[in-house]
Amino acid sequence: MIKVIRPLFAFILFLCVILIALAASWLIISINSLPNVIADDTLVAGVDVSGLDYDQALEKVDAKLSEEVSDYRLTIKDSNTNIETLNLDDYISYDSKTAVQDALSQSFAHSGLVRAQLVIDKQFGTYVPEHSEFEVPFNFSTPDIKNTLEELAETSKKDPVDAKRTIEGDSVKIEPGQDGQELDVDKALEDFNAIMQKFEQEKLPDQKDFFIELEYKTSPAQISADSFGRVITVNLSKHKLYLFEGEEIIKTYTIGSGMPGYETPTGLLKITAKRKNPVWINPAPDGWGKNSPEKLGPGPDSPLGLRALNLNRPAIRIHGVSDMSRLGVSRSHGCINMANNDVVELFDLVEVDTPVNVHY
């Protein structure tokens, strides 16, 4: 009986050895025949590259990333006008090759036992893939927009223009001034750097369109239209004095002017002094005033009346008179005569340095 069992046991042992050898051979062949592809459940830059070889995975990842970066734009705006638009994909680069190669390398970096277990698990349906994700590194270069902004600053710069007043005859014209403007390059670069930092922090932001709204610094004109004071014009032909506020006449008075030989001087004069209840000093004691006193005190009957406005010509004034027959005619020794009540009113309406344009 023992003699029969021993050969049978040897035969069974032989069969086991043969089966083990066959299984080992099958396992080795299966391991060696595993395709050179990326493991299941592997993502590169969020793209599923499971079961793909290097070229296939790289093409798929590049297609997605190329589409993602192609829509990024930076627009430089001036109010509602788009001045320049940059496609930012020209300044975004990424290393997808290294990420795909790392994914492929990891898929074949396991030991022989692990690879054998993979074959067995797949054979018996118990394979559960290990989830892996690989990020693609991005690099952002900064567009050189400083020169663009400086060129814009140069072409858009406006120097301030002072308001201008022209006095001709009985006409006053005011050309309004204009504030200057200059592009705030520093502010624009600050906004631009903030956008670039967004890319550095978020890699590929959800926002696709970025804008730099240009701002300008204002340089006000030194002389504005409302800085001009009042103006007096004196029409010797009409014997009229006009007081202007801006370009409009606000008061009209009848005046008297210089007689022949003592003509009232013409031209653009100005008030140099305001005298209330002035004392009259005889300006020509050896001439036309030789029969008059050296001086006369203030009062309505004074030759200067109740008020006098000295002009920048020797002994020439706008002053009051009580004799109404001296108005509307040329009977003075060069001064401009006004009724006392009129000159009192004018006195309070004008200041020293008020222009006085005297003409015919």
Side-chain angles (χ1 to χ4, degrees), residues 68-297:
E68 286 187 351
V69 302
S70 65
D71 292 334
Y72 287 105
R73 288 177 297 273
L74 172 64
T75 301
I76 301 174
K77 299 183 64 177
D78 185 356
S79 297
N80 295 322
T81 303
N82 292 348
I83 295 178
E84 185 168 347
T85 299
L86 299 176
N87 293 318
L88 293 181
D89 58 332
D90 295 335
Y91 305 93
I92 303 174
S93 59
Y94 46 86
D95 186 8
S96 54
K97 293 180 179 179
T98 298
V100 170
Q101 185 59 56
D102 289 345
L104 187 63
S105 298
Q106 179 173 295
S107 300
F108 290 89
H110 301 302
S111 65
L113 289 176
V114 174
R115 290 164 65 82
Q117 184 66 47
L118 173 64
V119 172
I120 295 171
D121 288 343
K122 284 189 174 182
Q123 182 67 30
F124 290 97
T126 58
Y127 170 65
V128 177
E130 179 182 351
H131 179 73
S132 299
E133 293 188 22
F134 295 85
E135 295 294 330
V136 172
F138 285 86
N139 182 59
F140 305 95
S141 59
T142 302
D144 183 12
I145 69 165
K146 185 176 182 181
N147 289 337
T148 300
L149 292 172
E150 288 177 344
E151 290 174 2
L152 285 173
E154 187 64 29
T155 56
S156 64
K157 183 178 180 181
K158 295 179 181 178
D159 292 327
V161 178
D162 287 340
K164 181 181 178 182
R165 181 173 63 185
T166 303
I167 305 171
E168 294 182 356
D170 293 321
S171 173
V172 177
K173 298 296 182 184
I174 297 177
E175 297 178 24
Q178 184 178 16
D179 289 342
Q181 71 169 22
E182 185 173 357
L183 177 63
D184 193 340
V185 175
D186 292 338
K187 177 64 168 59
L189 287 174
E190 182 181 323
D191 293 344
F192 172 70
N193 290 332
I195 292 172
M196 290 298 100
Q197 288 177 6
K198 191 175 183 69
F199 277 91
E200 293 290 346
Q201 295 167 357
E202 302 181 22
K203 294 186 177 178
L204 295 180
D206 294 334
Q207 181 180 351
K208 295 292 185 179
D209 288 298
F210 296 89
F211 300 92
I212 296 177
E213 188 80 31
L214 298 181
E215 297 181 12
Y216 292 87
K217 295 180 286 187
T218 299
S219 50
Q222 293 184 349
I223 302 175
S224 60
D226 58 4
S227 67
F228 293 113
R230 290 170 174 168
V231 172
I232 292 173
T233 68
V234 177
N235 190 318
L236 298 177
S237 297
K238 296 181 180 180
H239 291 99
K240 294 293 182 182
L241 183 150
Y242 303 103
L243 178 63
F244 283 81
E245 181 84 71
E247 296 182 344
E248 303 296 326
I249 296 174
I250 60 172
K251 292 288 181 179
T252 301
Y253 303 101
T254 298
I255 56 98
S257 61
M259 69 180 72
Y262 296 95
E263 289 84 359
T264 301
T266 58
L268 186 59
L269 314 182
K270 69 176 181 178
I271 296 172
T272 57
K274 294 173 63 178
R275 298 162 61 196
K276 190 173 184 179
N277 297 318
V279 173
W280 179 76
I281 305 296
N282 191 331
D286 298 325
W288 60 262
K290 64 182 179 179
N291 295 323
S292 298
E294 182 180 342
K295 67 177 181 177
L296 291 171

